[in-house]
Amino acid sequence: MRMQRKFPLGMTCAAVLALLVQWTVALAVAHASGVDDERAHTAAAVRAVDQHWMDAELDGDRAWLDAMLLPEYRSVGADGTVHPKAAILAHAAKNRGNDAERRKVEAWLKAHPSEQSVVIRGNTAILTFYDPELGPIHGVRSSDVFVREDGRWHALYSQHSKVGG
């Protein structure tokens, strides 16, 4: 005859409670650290991916950029110049271990405050940056088009303008 070992109900409840507390604390720490769930189908996730994108470019995180930018990605500058994915990756590589580009970008952002709007339609999102004084109709500085594939947001296209800058 096989012996069954029974745990007192109090120990079982305590173990379950401890696991729930650990899970809740982990979620709270992630939220408090400002890490948004980049996989969510929300405007906040699109903004989080875009912030991660900027940080990855400025830190030289080519692996993350390569995974996030779709093969067909193009960035069109205000002068009409097209930059493919390969150019973005090459530029990021130059920033690795060097904070000169970050300082330049942060100074520009401070001098040119922007607001954002996100429109999501199906698995496509458009993140628009605009001059708050001119508003989202007349002050668009740039727009990024994201496509959701395999549970993640990926950049497909960016368009930039000379407005307010």
Side-chain angles (χ1 to χ4, degrees):
M1 182 152 132
R2 197 174 103 195
M3 264 181 108
Q4 283 188 321
R5 185 174 288 176
K6 292 186 178 182
F7 292 99
L9 183 59
M11 285 182 68
T12 303
C13 288
V16 169
L17 181 61
L19 288 173
L20 285 173
V21 168
Q22 285 178 333
W23 182 68
T24 303
V25 168
L27 286 176
V29 167
H31 183 70
S33 68
V35 175
D36 288 314
D37 182 4
E38 293 181 1
R39 292 179 176 248
H41 196 269
T42 63
V46 172
R47 286 184 178 101
V49 169
D50 192 79
Q51 181 62 48
H52 194 165
W53 179 359
M54 183 174 76
D55 291 338
E57 275 197 60
L58 296 176
D59 295 337
D61 187 350
R62 286 180 46 119
W64 188 87
L65 287 169
D66 191 36
M68 190 276 300
L69 297 171
L70 290 171
E72 307 84 4
Y73 175 79
R74 298 289 181 270
S75 177
V76 180
D79 64 356
T81 303
V82 177
H83 303 280
K85 176 180 177 174
I88 304 301
L89 294 175
H91 180 49
K94 292 178 183 177
N95 293 332
R96 188 170 218 31
N98 179 357
D99 71 341
E101 186 73 10
R102 179 174 292 281
R103 287 193 315 268
K104 187 166 61 170
V105 167
E106 288 173 353
W108 190 92
L109 291 172
K110 185 175 180 181
H112 302 88
S114 290
E115 291 186 13
Q116 303 173 356
S117 67
V118 178
V119 174
I120 298 176
R121 180 77 173 195
N123 285 330
T124 303
I126 301 173
L127 172 60
T128 301
F129 295 86
Y130 60 91
D131 181 323
E133 291 183 18
L134 299 174
I137 302 300
H138 301 289
V140 174
R141 289 188 168 131
S142 68
S143 292
D144 296 323
V145 178
F146 292 89
V147 178
R148 190 168 165 77
E149 292 182 354
D150 301 322
R152 291 185 176 272
W153 291 105
H154 299 273
L156 178 63
Y157 182 80
S158 299
Q159 178 74 48
H160 307 278
S161 75
K162 293 181 181 180
V163 170

